[in-house]
Amino acid sequence: MSRQAGRGTESKKMNSELFTLTYGALVTQLCKDYENDEDVNKQLDKMGYNIGVRLIEDFLARSNVGRCHDFRETADVIAKIAFKMYLGITPSITNWSPGGDEFSLILENNPLVDFVELPDNHSSLIYSNLLCGVLRGALEMVQMAVDVKFVQDTLKGDSVTEIRMKFIRRIEDNLPAGEE
Amino acid sequence: MAVCIAVIAKENYPLYIRSVPTENELKFHYTVHTSLDVVDEKISAMGKALVDQRELYLGLLYPTEDYKVYGYVTNSKVKFVMVVDSSNTALRDNEIRSMFRKLHNSYTDIMCNPFYNPGDRIHSRAFDNMVNSMMMQVC
């Protein structure tokens, strides 16, 4: 079954509430299975990583972007094309570090956390940690090692959700994806 | 506007009950509890007719000398009971209906919270804010 490159973003519409509820059920089940929040965060990151390494292929096939020449281009592509294609939102890019290797993505609204309120006993849970794993995994497949983490989260009372991405290095040798 | 708002589960235990703190809360708990009988009566009376014509809004359940009690039941048998001050005659029926609609919407939002188990007591900040906004006007 071959894919047309110009299929565009309106290929399969799905109800966003079903998606949000599915993600919510996933996180609560993980919380029940692993008693402590740190383990849940790690698992979400691993799951995100596995999604990311596969998602990048779909993304490159559908969006037809060429190779990015620097990290700024990468940031633009992630915010304007990737997030728009998969989550329907366009985060803004701010807070570039002076060396140009770190930036922040600001999400006004995060579709994963519609209707969610974190209970008090899970205060250190990073609910959308899956997104960090996805970004990390996807960029690793295009030879960029990055560190992704949440610095602000609307679930914890902040006004926006902020994801900080830091470029670590370019991956020169093709390591097999045996990293967990 | 409202003096007491309660959300009752289908097994008839309270999921959420909040009243204006100046009054004796126990009295409101009692009022809400007794109004449940009226709710059940209305549901069973209407149920004999075609079920899909049943309206969610039950209307005035019964008036006492100080208060009027209104009821609303969802299709999942979750009941909302609202007690309003009788002296507040400016409150019209469609205002009560819209307040119940807001309650129902907030209730569905809580249900969508993956950390909420149906049947638990409701501890949501968003729901509290919405209920406070409905009760605020009582000085």
Side-chain angles (χ1 to χ4, degrees):
Chain A
M1 209 162 67
S2 66
R3 244 195 246 267
Q4 272 107 345
R7 202 159 63 161
T9 56
E10 53 276 341
S11 44
K12 291 190 188 80
K13 284 260 188 252
M14 186 171 108
N15 186 332
S16 69
E17 284 192 17
L18 180 60
F19 175 62
T20 308
L21 289 172
T22 307
Y23 186 70
L26 174 83
V27 176
T28 30
Q29 193 58 48
L30 280 176
C31 287
K32 289 194 194 117
D33 291 342
Y34 297 93
E35 301 297 323
N36 96 68
D37 289 345
E38 273 315 309
D39 286 340
V40 178
N41 292 340
K42 273 201 224 94
Q43 282 302 319
L44 283 174
D45 191 68
K46 270 196 233 176
M47 288 162 67
Y49 178 83
N50 286 323
I51 295 177
V53 303
R54 293 162 174 84
L55 198 70
I56 185 72
E57 302 294 337
D58 181 78
F59 173 68
L60 291 173
R62 290 216 265 176
S63 66
N64 257 337
V65 296
R67 187 163 277 286
C68 293
H69 297 106
D70 62 7
F71 200 49
R72 279 181 190 264
E73 254 189 79
T74 313
D76 275 336
V77 168
I78 292 177
K80 300 196 176 81
I81 308 183
F83 266 88
K84 182 98 177 68
M85 190 189 277
Y86 292 110
L87 290 175
I89 52 175
T90 310
S92 47
I93 302 176
T94 55
N95 282 353
W96 277 100
S97 67
D101 62 346
E102 243 190 281
F103 67 95
S104 289
L105 283 165
I106 309 276
L107 287 83
E108 305 283 315
N109 64 319
N110 182 354
L112 291 174
V113 308
D114 285 340
F115 315 122
V116 178
E117 284 188 31
L118 270 188
D120 301 321
N121 53 336
H122 290 295
S123 51
S124 63
L125 176 70
I126 307 175
Y127 188 84
S128 316
N129 211 23
L130 195 95
L131 287 181
C132 294
V134 172
L135 289 167
R136 188 169 62 88
L139 287 174
E140 192 173 301
M141 287 292 117
V142 286
Q143 282 85 46
M144 276 188 259
V146 290
D147 178 55
V148 190
K149 58 182 184 298
F150 275 87
V151 292
Q152 281 195 80
D153 196 348
T154 41
L155 288 181
K156 307 234 170 93
D158 301 313
S159 51
V160 292
T161 304
E162 186 181 336
I163 302 179
R164 190 103 188 123
M165 292 188 62
K166 183 181 165 63
F167 179 78
I168 300 180
R169 59 190 163 81
R170 178 166 292 281
I171 304 174
E172 293 301 342
D173 24 272
N174 284 337
L175 289 165
E179 191 187 340
E180 287 163 331
Chain B
M1 311 258 184
V3 183
C4 170
I5 291 183
V7 180
I8 318 277
K10 100 172 121 104
E11 290 86 8
N12 287 336
Y13 61 87
L15 292 175
Y16 183 86
I17 179 159
R18 171 77 75 82
S19 31
V20 166
T22 52
E23 292 284 343
N24 182 5
E25 295 210 22
L26 209 52
K27 185 170 68 155
F28 287 124
H29 286 228
Y30 176 68
T31 312
V32 168
H33 189 246
T34 49
S35 67
L36 287 178
D37 280 333
V38 186
V39 172
D40 279 338
E41 201 186 297
K42 287 207 187 242
I43 298 179
S44 59
M46 290 205 263
K48 298 212 182 79
L50 290 169
V51 177
D52 35 61
Q53 282 179 1
R54 186 157 60 93
E55 258 214 23
L56 301 177
Y57 176 64
L58 298 172
L60 182 65
L61 296 177
Y62 69 94
T64 67
E65 66 279 6
D66 299 317
Y67 301 108
K68 296 202 270 238
V69 185
Y70 291 91
Y72 180 101
V73 66
T74 68
N75 283 326
S76 51
K77 298 277 196 289
V78 171
K79 305 154 185 95
F80 299 112
V81 176
M82 193 185 311
V83 183
V84 299
D85 207 311
S86 272
S87 57
N88 199 346
T89 49
L91 268 185
R92 291 191 344 245
D93 197 55
N94 53 1
E95 283 178 26
I96 308 269
R97 278 179 198 261
S98 71
M99 281 161 80
F100 273 126
R101 213 177 351 252
K102 271 203 311 193
L103 264 177
H104 195 177
N105 287 336
S106 299
Y107 178 71
T108 25
D109 287 347
I110 293 189
M111 281 309 238
C112 290
N113 182 8
F115 291 106
Y116 173 74
N117 298 315
D120 285 353
R121 303 215 57 162
I122 295 178
H123 289 295
S124 148
R125 245 162 282 127
F127 195 75
D128 285 340
N129 291 341
M130 194 265 322
V131 167
N132 281 336
S133 72
M134 289 209 269
M135 301 210 294
M136 243 332 145
Q137 281 81 352
V138 179
C139 300

